[in-house]
Amino acid sequence: MSVLDSKIPEGPRAEKWTRHKGNIKLVAPHNKRKLDILVVGTGLAGASAAASLAELGYNVKTFTFHDSPRRAHSIAAQGGINAAKNYRNDGDSVHRLFYDTIKGGDFRAREANVHRLAEVSGNIIDQCVAQGVPFAREYGGLLTTRSFGGTQVSRTLYARGQTGQQLLLGAYSALNKGIHSGQIKSYTKTELLDVVVIDGVCRGIVVRDLVTGKLESHFGHAVLLCTGGYGNAYYLSTNAKNSNVTAAWRAHKRGAFFANPSFVQVHPTCIPVSGDYQSKLTLMSESLRNDGRVWVPKTPGDKRHPNQIPEEERDYYLERIYPAFGNLVPRDVASRNAKYQCDEGKGVGESGLAVYLDFRDAIKHFGRPTIEARYGNLFDMYKKITDEDPYEVPMRIYPAVHYTMGGLWVDYNLMTTIPGLFALGEANFSDHGANRLGASALMQGLADGYFVIPYTIGEYLAGISFTKTPTDHPAFKTVETEANQRLERLLSIKGSLTVDEIHRRSGKILWDNCGITRNKADLAKALDEYRAMRELFWKEVNIQGSSQDLNQSLEKANRLADFLELGELMIQDALHREESCGCHLREEYMSPEGEAVRNDDAFCYAAAWEHKADGGWNLHKEHLKFENVKLVQRSYK
């Protein structure tokens, strides 16, 4: 086991990023034209990185399995983006954003990375406004903000309930500028199957054209993975159905360490499951908790219509337990408490696995037009899905898998343990710790793409040869052959189960045992069950068609094979961490009130797992040093 070097710059916390930028190696403009950069994924992190690097003069190729870059899952982030602008003069600052994020992640993130994120947050807003992103504004024209969980200031900027979509359109317009100028070459309907490593250095990727089935290799002096998270390992999640872990996982198996895989965020504000064969879940933005009040009936088993339950018989449990933050506690806290209420028999709806999110008081206080202006599209979406009018009846919500804090381990420059291979946004582990505060995903993706990687990639590129490796090199051909053999093996099984049947079963094992709460006995049992599920997959999956044309069943099977390996590591990581922190609640390590209790003496580190050639993993640790904040048990009371 080694101790990882995160390459955090020396000096005071507030000066690290500025000093680093001032001393970082540079690539001269005439040399940037000689360098090829491959960007995999075109969501906020990928699109902003590709546009920024192309503007600097690098030759960029982008790859997405969508038919257009703007269909990336970033559009689903509805509620807003954080920034330390202090427009409301309510006490916000870079330091407060930094501290709220560190605390929200339960002190399991790097100080230096989080402070950098807070520092550049204001620049992100300026960039997006310049691109024409239509942020909501006050009457006088200034940008307005609203509150999100885990903070006591109002720092979240938003565009109604479509913030992610509008930010992605801004990044997409910048990306299109590069495509139009020829500085960026865009590959759509193209999926990464593997990365190519030569003499320990990443030299390119192997991709598959999803329409023709053709495999193709691409060389790059650097490869950026901006491919999002792995929440779909659980089958049911708020992620788009095609979101997957394949790019990150194939990189992991080529030598990139995977950090904190069990740190998975469960979002408290999701439309509950409605049937056994539901394919995905729909998120209702956390912004709704600004004006909506969360409650359950005080009496277990009370099945009356919510409008018939009088005020004195309602338990506004978040306001009762956490008076300082109320309904705006962090997501992990809100999710656990919703589960506790349902476990006690106070859950609502037919399944009993839901709580109410009620806007009655907000509508009475502000008026319906104001609530419509703030959340209209979200209310319309809820009504279309449930056939219930949230203006008249409280919404029903329940926690669901949403975001993954784990991911490829990266250093301060966003480079993985494979030289030349970088990971940005949700694909890396770096900025959120054990829990992510709301409205910080968009912030991290754009920070990495617009303001971090354009500097830090130069540190690597300035020290390498500009020589290009031809894609007929034996290493590329070997990886192509291995990728093709894998696809043909999947097609040859001809079992009796569909991909979705196996995915649904394996996902339930993860959710039941490695979800909102976990314990040693259940995790150990789940490990055996999950391994058996992987064996079942390789014996009984049935995929029709061929690899030489459009075959979505083959796509899903190829991705599920990676999920089935990742899931085992997620369970092992959860077993290994004998503490509770943030989203990762081990029932053996919690206070009598049900709050997470950390073990800082033994587990104040990022767990980075190295894949072994013969299967299994070696653990490496990046010890987290807190020089500017005090390690305390979180309290939102």
Side-chain angles (χ1 to χ4, degrees):
M1 182 180 68
S2 65
V3 176
L4 293 169
D5 179 12
S6 57
K7 297 184 173 60
I8 296 173
E10 297 294 329
R13 179 199 67 205
E15 298 177 15
K16 288 181 185 295
W17 178 232
T18 300
R19 288 187 179 187
H20 192 54
K21 288 190 296 181
N23 295 309
I24 210 163
K25 295 178 182 176
L26 300 176
V27 179
H30 67 281
N31 284 330
K32 288 174 182 171
R33 296 192 291 269
K34 304 173 185 177
L35 294 168
D36 297 336
I37 300 175
L38 310 183
V39 179
V40 185
T42 57
L44 285 180
S48 59
S52 299
L53 294 170
E55 197 70 24
L56 289 173
Y58 295 105
N59 303 310
V60 178
K61 293 181 180 179
T62 62
F63 302 84
T64 177
F65 56 64
H66 295 293
D67 55 5
S68 167
R70 67 178 181 177
R71 289 180 61 85
H73 186 59
S74 297
I75 67 168
Q78 302 157 330
I81 177 171
N82 288 332
K85 283 291 197 181
N86 195 31
Y87 285 133
R88 289 186 181 263
N89 197 29
D90 57 358
D92 202 8
S93 64
V94 168
H95 174 77
R96 195 175 295 276
L97 174 53
F98 155 75
Y99 184 77
D100 286 346
T101 306
I102 283 283
K103 177 184 176 184
D106 218 347
F107 304 94
R108 288 295 178 263
R110 287 190 199 131
E111 272 195 347
N113 281 66
V114 177
H115 197 275
R116 176 174 66 186
L117 181 63
E119 283 181 71
V120 305
S121 65
N123 297 339
I124 295 170
I125 304 307
D126 297 339
Q127 172 94 355
C128 294
V129 169
Q131 291 174 335
V133 173
F135 287 118
R137 294 178 181 268
E138 299 279 13
Y139 174 77
L142 297 177
L143 301 184
T144 190
T145 55
R146 56 190 176 199
S147 298
F148 262 58
T151 72
Q152 291 180 308
V153 296
S154 182
R155 67 163 63 102
T156 304
L157 297 100
Y158 62 96
R160 296 192 72 186
Q162 307 168 4
T163 313
Q165 180 181 18
Q166 296 303 322
L167 292 172
L168 186 60
L169 287 173
Y172 177 63
S173 67
L175 180 70
N176 266 345
K177 178 178 181 291
I179 294 172
H180 181 73
S181 70
Q183 204 65 38
I184 299 174
K185 187 170 183 180
S186 173
Y187 293 82
T188 58
K189 303 174 186 173
T190 302
E191 183 163 30
L192 181 146
L193 294 187
D194 216 331
V195 299
V196 179
V197 179
I198 303 175
D199 297 329
V201 177
C202 184
R203 290 298 186 188
I205 61 176
V206 171
V207 299
R208 178 173 182 263
D209 185 310
L210 296 181
V211 177
T212 67
K214 180 182 177 182
L215 269 59
E216 190 174 56
S217 290
H218 294 267
F219 165 79
H221 291 96
V223 175
L224 278 54
L225 298 185
C226 311
T227 49
Y230 48 89
N232 275 345
Y234 290 85
Y235 185 70
L236 285 179
S237 82
T238 66
N239 288 199
K241 284 302 292 180
N242 283 335
S243 297
N244 63 82
V245 77
T246 289
W249 194 250
R250 301 297 169 82
H252 171 58
K253 296 185 75 171
R254 294 290 177 185
F257 293 1
F258 208 103
N260 300 337
S262 67
F263 284 176
V264 175
Q265 180 170 86
V266 180
H267 196 295
T269 316
C270 181
I271 297 178
V273 176
S274 59
D276 291 339
Y277 293 95
Q278 191 166 340
S279 62
K280 77 174 299 294
L281 297 172
T282 302
L283 175 70
M284 301 307 296
S285 169
E286 181 177 332
S287 63
L288 295 171
R289 288 197 278 146
N290 268 275
D291 292 307
R293 301 180 70 192
V294 178
W295 66 275
V296 292
K298 288 184 177 180
T299 304
D302 189 339
K303 296 299 182 182
R304 286 178 292 173
H305 189 281
N307 292 346
Q308 295 177 343
I309 300 177
E311 185 74 11
E312 62 271 15
E313 296 180 33
R314 300 180 176 194
D315 181 9
Y316 296 93
Y317 59 89
L318 291 178
E319 299 173 32
R320 171 174 55 83
I321 301 171
Y322 307 99
F325 283 77
N327 295 298
L328 289 174
V329 292
R331 291 172 174 178
D332 60 315
V333 176
S335 294
R336 280 199 299 276
N337 278 274
K339 180 179 185 297
Y340 294 157
Q341 298 299 322
C342 293
D343 289 348
E344 291 179 0
K346 298 179 183 178
V348 301
E350 291 184 11
S351 67
L353 295 176
V355 299
Y356 289 126
L357 182 62
D358 196 339
F359 289 84
R360 180 192 64 178
D361 293 345
I363 292 172
K364 182 178 179 180
H365 179 76
F366 294 109
R368 177 165 172 163
T370 297
I371 300 301
E372 287 180 341
R374 291 176 180 174
Y375 313 111
N377 63 308
L378 298 174
F379 277 45
D380 291 344
M381 181 172 67
Y382 182 88
K383 185 176 181 180
K384 287 180 181 178
I385 293 172
T386 67
D387 198 30
E388 295 177 354
D389 185 353
Y391 293 106
E392 303 293 335
V393 180
M395 289 183 179
R396 287 175 291 110
I397 58 170
Y398 194 70
V401 171
H402 176 58
Y403 189 93
T404 51
M405 275 70 63
L408 293 178
W409 185 91
V410 293
D411 62 20
Y412 190 73
N413 291 327
L414 304 185
M415 191 159 71
T416 69
T417 48
I418 301 176
L421 180 67
F422 297 78
L424 282 64
E426 193 179 357
N428 73 39
F429 87 108
S430 64
D431 288 11
H432 303 298
N435 176 64
R436 180 175 70 74
L437 291 185
S440 61
L442 302 181
M443 180 173 60
Q444 187 207 352
L446 292 179
D448 286 355
Y450 281 140
F451 297 106
V452 179
I453 198 66
Y455 283 97
T456 61
I457 200 169
E459 182 78 5
Y460 171 73
L461 294 175
I464 68 169
S465 168
F466 298 158
T467 304
K468 298 183 180 183
T469 304
T471 53
D472 60 0
H473 185 283
F476 280 95
K477 294 305 176 185
T478 297
V479 175
E480 280 189 27
T481 300
E482 291 171 354
N484 186 62
Q485 289 174 343
R486 177 186 175 94
L487 297 177
E488 295 304 324
R489 181 188 174 194
L490 288 168
L491 287 164
S492 70
I493 297 172
K494 302 301 181 187
S496 59
L497 297 173
T498 66
V499 178
D500 284 345
E501 285 178 296
I502 298 172
H503 197 174
R504 190 179 294 113
R505 293 188 203 175
S506 63
K508 191 173 189 306
I509 294 172
L510 276 183
W511 175 248
D512 288 345
N513 302 286
C514 195
I516 298 177
T517 59
R518 306 118 186 234
N519 62 66
K520 184 175 182 179
D522 287 347
L523 287 167
K525 174 175 66 81
L527 198 56
D528 292 335
E529 292 177 351
Y530 207 81
R531 287 168 175 164
M533 192 59 59
R534 188 170 69 245
E535 291 179 9
L536 180 70
F537 170 82
W538 286 104
K539 290 179 181 177
E540 289 297 333
V541 73
N542 187 298
I543 307 163
Q544 300 298 314
S546 76
S547 63
Q548 304 305 310
D549 53 17
L550 177 64
N551 189 337
Q552 293 184 315
S553 293
L554 179 59
E555 293 171 34
K556 290 195 292 185
N558 190 45
R559 297 163 186 165
L560 178 56
D562 295 321
F563 279 137
L564 288 170
E565 293 179 2
L566 165 68
E568 179 178 340
L569 181 59
M570 291 168 66
I571 296 169
Q572 287 198 179
D573 185 59
L575 263 171
H576 141 265
R577 192 168 285 274
E578 295 182 344
E579 66 166 353
S580 291
C581 55
C583 67
H584 178 111
L585 188 93
R586 280 285 292 269
E587 293 173 344
E588 304 95 322
Y589 309 98
M590 55 192 288
S591 70
E593 296 80 22
E595 304 295 346
V597 176
R598 297 192 317 272
N599 183 350
D600 293 328
D601 291 338
F603 290 97
C604 193
Y605 58 77
W609 299 90
E610 175 191 16
H611 187 267
K612 297 191 294 187
D614 59 350
W617 292 272
N618 289 323
L619 173 63
H620 302 262
K621 299 178 181 179
E622 180 197 341
H623 293 282
L624 301 172
K625 299 178 182 179
F626 293 92
E627 301 171 353
N628 300 278
V629 298
K630 183 179 180 181
L631 287 170
V632 296
Q633 291 297 328
R634 289 193 305 166
S635 175
Y636 292 95
K637 296 182 179 183

